[in-house]
Amino acid sequence: MGIFDKALKTAKNVGDSLASSAVNVGSSAGTMVQDNSELTNLKMQINVIEQELDAAYIQIGRKYVQHVLDTGDMGNIDVADLLKMMDPKLSRKQELEQELIELEKRMKQNAVLREKERVEQEFQAEKTKLDRALAMDVITQDEYNFKISVARKRVDNFEEIRRIEQQCEMGIITQEEKNARISELTR
């Protein structure tokens, strides 16, 4: 009866894990869509302000050229009215750019959290598979402990492994160096 109980428990764990994964994928996709929408909106607002500022810069240039042509003097010209008009736009542009930076930072953090969640789910899937193999006496307790330890180290060293993978993507280290370093962390 014990083997059937272990198998039933393992099947229940797999079902719970799959349901949890589906909920997480749905909420994470919704968050990504919302963040991307907000990112696009901020970029569009910045673009509109830049176009308005460009129009003001053109007017300043025209006033300056006209002044030089009329007087032959490259001295002072009165653009205070244009600068007053531009000031709130410049301020708003700076605010939007700061919001954009914050949003991009938040999106990056969310991506890291999603990646970490994926690693956790991979660990749970591996654990479920190993639990099943142990319950069916396909592997020994020692083999189980070793394999669980390796899988747990991947989760525990997530940040370092992620950093190593980024170094490889950037060409700082080779694929062989990446594999060796990750192997060191997981053994």
Side-chain angles (χ1 to χ4, degrees):
M1 226 21 186
I3 197 163
F4 290 117
D5 289 337
K6 286 182 181 179
L8 183 61
K9 182 179 177 184
T10 301
K12 183 181 180 324
N13 289 344
V14 169
D16 291 346
S17 177
L18 289 174
S20 171
S21 296
V23 168
N24 288 340
V25 166
S27 66
S28 133
T31 302
M32 276 180 38
V33 168
Q34 183 180 4
D35 286 346
N36 285 334
S37 171
E38 192 176 337
L39 181 73
T40 302
N41 184 29
L42 286 173
K43 286 182 177 181
M44 284 182 359
Q45 288 182 39
I46 290 171
N47 190 26
V48 167
I49 290 173
E50 284 177 345
Q51 288 175 358
E52 291 172 353
L53 288 172
D54 286 344
Y57 293 143
I58 290 171
Q59 289 179 15
I60 290 171
R62 284 185 184 145
K63 277 190 173 188
Y64 181 74
V65 169
Q66 188 61 44
H67 175 75
V68 170
L69 290 175
D70 291 346
T71 64
D73 178 28
M74 293 189 172
N76 295 339
I77 59 167
D78 185 26
V79 290
D81 58 330
L82 291 173
L83 292 176
K84 280 184 185 177
M85 179 191 76
M86 290 172 62
D87 188 47
K89 291 178 184 185
L90 288 169
S91 297
R92 179 66 180 146
K93 180 182 174 193
Q94 287 177 336
E95 290 171 10
L96 289 172
E97 287 173 340
Q98 188 59 39
E99 282 182 45
L100 184 64
I101 289 168
E102 293 298 320
L103 176 62
E104 288 173 338
K105 190 185 307 181
R106 187 177 78 226
M107 287 176 71
K108 184 176 181 176
Q109 288 171 343
N110 287 341
V112 169
L113 289 175
R114 281 190 300 276
E115 190 176 337
K116 188 165 187 161
E117 178 64 26
R118 181 188 55 77
V119 169
E120 284 282 347
Q121 288 174 353
E122 287 174 0
F123 170 76
Q124 288 302 325
E126 182 72 13
K127 184 177 182 323
T128 301
K129 181 175 73 173
L130 292 171
D131 287 344
R132 191 173 341 149
L134 183 63
M136 295 170 54
D137 291 327
V138 173
I139 61 174
T140 66
Q141 186 66 43
D142 289 339
E143 290 171 318
Y144 174 86
N145 291 341
F146 174 75
K147 290 187 179 286
I148 283 291
S149 172
V150 169
R152 175 46 69 193
K153 286 179 182 176
R154 286 196 72 79
V155 173
D156 293 344
N157 293 315
F158 168 77
E159 293 292 330
E160 185 64 20
I161 291 171
R162 187 173 173 278
R163 191 177 66 76
I164 291 168
E165 289 172 344
Q166 287 175 334
Q167 288 175 356
C168 182
E169 288 172 7
M170 294 176 71
I172 296 171
I173 62 173
T174 65
Q175 185 71 27
E176 292 78 26
E177 287 176 298
K178 172 190 138 185
N179 293 340
R181 286 184 179 182
I182 290 174
S183 180
E184 285 177 32
L185 289 172
T186 58
R187 295 282 175 219

